[in-house]
Amino acid sequence: MPLVVCINKEQAIKNHINKLFVIKLKENNMKNISKMIKMIPLLFLGIACVLFTTVSCEDNIKFNDNIPDYTYSIIRDFKVNGQSANISHTNAVITFTLPAGTDLTAVPVEMSLPDGATVEPASGSVVDFSGGPVIFTITNNGISREYTANVAAYGDPKMLSFSIGTNVGVIDEDKGTIDVTVGSTEDIKKLVPSYIIPRGTTSTPQSGIAQDFTNPVKYTIVSNDGFTGKSYYVKVKQLPAPFVTSFKTGTDICSVTGIVDNDASTIIMDFPSGSNLSTITPIITVTEGSTISPNTAVVQNFANGPINYTVTNVEGLTKTYAVTARIINSTKKIAFISGASCVESISEPDTKAAALWLKQNYAEDFVYIQASNLTAQSLASTKVVLLYWDNVGTQNMPDTPSGITSAQINIINDYYKAGGGLIVEGFGINLLDEIGRIKIGSTVFVNNGGNTGVVGGQNLDAWGLRGTYSAPSPSASANHPLLVGLTKGTTDYYPMNNAKYKEDRNFGIDFGPYDSAFTKSQCSEDRALEFEAATNSVLIRWYEWLDARGCGIGLAEFKPQGVYQGTMIVNTGGWLEWSMADNNGAVNDFQSNIYRLHKNAIEYLLSK
């Protein structure tokens, strides 16, 4: 680029010539004039250059350099809570991120500045960054510069709001719980919650995803700092539906109790022969907060047919039941034996549920027999006896001082030998020794039962009855009438208790130590065939977790043999839970398989 100067042309030429002469005089001390002559061409060349590169003052564009000098107007160090922030002097930007949950409304700031500089807000101030970036202005020697300070915090992991539909949850930060109440018509297994969490956090499960709130659901919120988090347990309370919970004829636990069917909106009371149906005083209980009309403890005449009762819940929803009283002359074909004075007073929930199911589904054929009242005459009309009970802390029949006596077992034995049908399951399989039906040679199997400890807990396995994985079961097993209508699992097994909370009642009959008379290897098909031939039985199914037939008895039919002219169904499954009431609120998704299996067994034995 040529040098642009702003001087007179003539003066420029003169100045240039003088400069050249001065230079040469100094260098040569005027010793050689001839050399000066030789310099004349260079002289004229220089003049020409000046002429061509000189611009007159009148044509010049003037520039004023107003760029301020920021050397002394900078923030040398910016500390937040004693820690230095990142400073970009090129862009005049300051950035710093505080821990999750920090209060951004009062952040202490310390700054290091050049000598003589001032800053606003001042160093040592408590600054509010909750509204976003804050401008800091530094001034020195009349020159100012603005720095934009971005001080933020990682997301504070907390639940800001939680709701299911229009139902707002109550959040307890100290306990880490959220309580939500929903209406009685909601499907508690498919509720869709919505919630709000702070920016800079993530959560699982995500908002807007349907959840099963039968049990509390855990929600975890994590800050984007990668390690700070908080969990909440969401518990949903459902307003009670307008239901009748109990319909009885008196305060005594063994008074006539109505069979309540909420699906069909019916209640049936069964009275023995000779009862007066015209003056019945029902004692009624309903769901919490609900009312009923006609009211409880009001005398009613049921002799002329059903009477309608209407329940109204706290939401104003109603349900009307048709209540019927009838005289039942039971055939007493189906008997249930336990220690309590009546079905309603059985203390153990599973045992009581089994007896109630029989009473409700086979009212015209059912009879309940208290163990202490068991006689040969009480079983005279009976064709099926269900020997089932569960217990905690003992394998004894519930509600008896010492279980069932030897005299009572002999009555059952005589009934069975005479052709009566037996269903033996639960801790009732302890009677197999005394019954003596399963015997080979001189060896009688001794059942040690199972875990009688307290109610169990979460279990990831679905329990049930399995077929085979290695070889097809014989037709008599695979197509046995007891399996008709049962729902199959993902493999060749029938689930009876799902992979959730369940009791721990693991017991059964293992063929390993069963009898030395067996020669075939355990868990082989030959072993199963050997057992069936020796005992005149059919090994229908075995435990879901066993590998094959021949491992042990899961579900089996023992046909008449020798002095035993009756048919016996043995079901040793530890999965058999008739009631989930004491199982931490869990629901058995395969309860219908238990009902169907027993319906099949009862009909099968009644046909013999």
Side-chain angles (χ1 to χ4, degrees):
M1 292 286 294
L3 176 64
V4 179
V5 293
C6 186
I7 58 175
N8 182 275
K9 291 181 181 179
E10 292 80 6
Q11 184 63 40
I13 294 171
K14 182 178 179 181
N15 291 346
H16 189 65
I17 293 172
N18 289 338
K19 184 178 289 188
L20 289 176
F21 274 107
V22 170
I23 291 171
K24 288 305 173 184
L25 285 172
K26 288 182 179 180
E27 290 180 351
N28 298 295
N29 200 20
M30 299 183 66
K31 291 181 179 179
N32 195 338
I33 299 301
S34 61
K35 290 182 180 180
M36 281 291 296
I37 296 173
K38 294 179 181 179
M39 295 287 296
I40 292 175
L42 292 174
L43 173 63
F44 284 100
L45 179 60
I47 294 171
C49 289
V50 173
L51 290 175
F52 283 106
T53 59
T54 302
V55 181
S56 68
C57 289
E58 291 77 9
D59 299 328
N60 180 45
I61 299 176
K62 297 180 180 180
F63 292 93
N64 292 321
D65 184 3
N66 293 323
I67 299 175
D69 185 357
Y70 290 138
T71 304
Y72 299 102
S73 298
I74 64 171
I75 296 178
R76 290 175 173 171
D77 191 17
F78 189 99
K79 289 185 176 180
V80 179
N81 286 342
Q83 299 184 45
S84 295
N86 180 53
I87 303 175
S88 173
H89 294 291
T90 303
N91 301 318
V93 173
I94 300 170
T95 56
F96 192 81
T97 305
L98 290 162
T102 301
D103 181 9
L104 293 177
T105 63
V107 180
V109 173
E110 296 285 345
M111 288 168 281
S112 176
L113 309 172
D115 291 340
T118 60
V119 62
E120 181 62 34
S123 178
S125 300
V126 176
V127 183
D128 182 358
F129 287 96
S130 62
V134 175
I135 302 298
F136 286 78
T137 304
I138 296 84
T139 303
N140 201 356
N141 295 326
I143 296 175
S144 298
R145 190 179 192 192
E146 293 182 345
Y147 279 79
T148 302
N150 296 281
V151 176
Y154 287 113
D156 184 11
K158 63 188 301 184
M159 191 71 74
L160 299 178
S161 69
F162 191 99
S163 60
I164 299 176
T166 58
N167 305 294
V168 179
V170 178
I171 302 172
D172 189 321
E173 289 292 341
D174 294 333
K175 295 180 180 178
T177 60
I178 301 174
D179 293 314
V180 187
T181 300
V182 300
S184 61
T185 60
E186 299 284 351
D187 185 352
I188 200 168
K189 291 187 175 183
K190 298 178 181 178
L191 296 177
V192 181
S194 298
Y195 59 80
I196 298 174
I197 57 177
R199 182 179 299 176
T201 62
T202 57
S203 61
T204 55
Q206 294 181 358
S207 180
I209 303 299
Q211 301 291 332
D212 180 355
F213 284 95
T214 304
N215 296 310
V217 177
K218 181 180 180 180
Y219 282 79
T220 300
I221 306 168
V222 179
S223 171
N224 54 11
D225 63 5
F227 59 86
T228 307
K230 182 169 185 177
S231 294
Y232 297 82
Y233 284 90
V234 179
K235 182 179 181 181
V236 173
K237 177 184 177 182
Q238 189 162 28
L239 292 175
F243 287 163
V244 168
T245 56
S246 175
F247 200 101
K248 306 185 66 169
T249 58
T251 56
D252 185 278
I253 192 170
C254 291
S255 60
V256 173
T257 302
I259 301 171
V260 180
D261 188 330
N262 288 318
D263 294 330
S265 297
T266 61
I267 299 174
I268 298 175
M269 294 184 292
D270 293 331
F271 291 85
S273 178
S275 298
N276 181 8
L277 303 184
S278 63
T279 55
I280 296 175
T281 306
I283 306 300
I284 312 165
T285 58
V286 294
T287 48
E288 182 182 359
S290 297
T291 59
I292 189 166
S293 178
N295 208 345
T296 182
V298 175
V299 178
Q300 299 289 343
N301 179 7
F302 286 91
N304 298 323
I307 296 177
N308 288 337
Y309 281 78
T310 299
V311 184
T312 304
N313 76 345
V314 293
E315 301 169 277
L317 302 177
T318 62
K319 187 176 184 66
T320 300
Y321 293 85
V323 183
T324 302
R326 63 186 185 181
I327 302 294
I328 294 294
N329 294 310
S330 174
T331 65
K332 301 182 180 180
K333 290 181 181 179
I334 304 169
F336 189 94
I337 303 171
S338 191
S341 56
C342 63
V343 171
E344 287 73 22
S345 64
I346 297 175
S347 61
E348 202 286 312
D350 286 299
T351 309
K352 181 178 181 179
L356 282 174
W357 182 82
L358 286 176
K359 180 180 180 180
Q360 293 171 6
N361 288 275
Y362 298 93
E364 296 181 354
D365 294 314
F366 176 75
V367 61
Y368 174 76
I369 304 174
Q370 186 176 10
S372 59
N373 296 327
L374 179 63
T375 64
Q377 183 60 34
S378 63
L379 293 178
S381 302
T382 301
K383 298 195 69 174
V384 179
V385 174
L386 177 56
L387 294 174
Y388 168 85
W389 61 82
D390 195 2
N391 224 325
V392 175
T394 176
Q395 294 180 32
N396 287 339
M397 178 184 289
D399 306 301
T400 59
S402 58
I404 189 168
T405 67
S406 57
Q408 293 159 354
I409 294 173
N410 288 336
I411 294 171
I412 295 172
N413 263 340
D414 291 341
Y415 156 83
Y416 175 41
K417 290 177 180 179
L422 287 178
I423 301 175
V424 184
E425 56 191 11
F427 285 154
I429 65 173
N430 285 299
L431 300 185
L432 292 177
D433 292 347
E434 289 83 356
I435 291 172
R437 168 64 176 83
I438 307 175
K439 180 186 292 185
I440 299 177
S442 60
T443 303
V444 177
F445 174 72
V446 178
N447 171 53
N448 292 319
N451 180 8
T452 58
V454 297
V455 172
Q458 297 294 337
N459 188 293
L460 299 180
D461 298 322
W463 293 351
L465 296 169
R466 175 179 285 184
T468 182
Y469 286 146
S470 55
S473 298
S475 178
S477 296
N479 302 315
H480 197 283
L482 265 63
L483 304 178
V484 174
L486 294 180
T487 301
K488 271 194 174 184
T490 54
T491 57
D492 185 19
Y493 84 105
Y494 298 99
M496 299 286 175
N497 201 332
N498 54 0
K500 293 183 180 178
Y501 193 99
K502 59 172 69 76
E503 293 177 359
D504 188 6
R505 298 289 188 268
N506 299 316
F507 51 86
I509 301 175
D510 189 332
F511 284 163
Y514 185 83
D515 197 304
S516 60
F518 289 137
T519 60
K520 306 303 181 182
S521 60
Q522 186 190 13
C523 291
S524 67
E525 179 64 20
D526 289 339
R527 180 62 165 265
L529 295 172
E530 189 177 30
F531 178 86
E532 288 176 332
T535 60
N536 192 27
S537 64
V538 179
L539 296 176
I540 304 170
R541 278 294 188 272
W542 48 99
Y543 287 145
E544 190 275 333
W545 48 265
L546 292 178
D547 296 326
R549 271 168 44 95
C551 288
I553 298 175
L555 177 66
E557 174 194 0
F558 290 88
K559 300 177 180 180
Q561 186 182 49
V563 298
Y564 300 96
Q565 292 304 298
T567 298
M568 180 170 63
I569 304 297
V570 174
N571 183 3
T572 67
W575 40 259
L576 190 60
E577 295 190 49
W578 281 88
S579 170
M580 302 292 281
D582 57 348
N583 282 23
N584 200 33
V587 176
N588 184 8
D589 296 330
F590 305 113
Q591 194 77 35
S592 60
N593 266 358
I594 292 178
Y595 298 152
R596 182 69 191 196
L597 176 65
H598 288 81
K599 182 176 184 294
N600 290 344
I602 290 169
E603 292 179 354
Y604 184 70
L605 292 176
L606 287 176
S607 68
K608 296 297 182 181

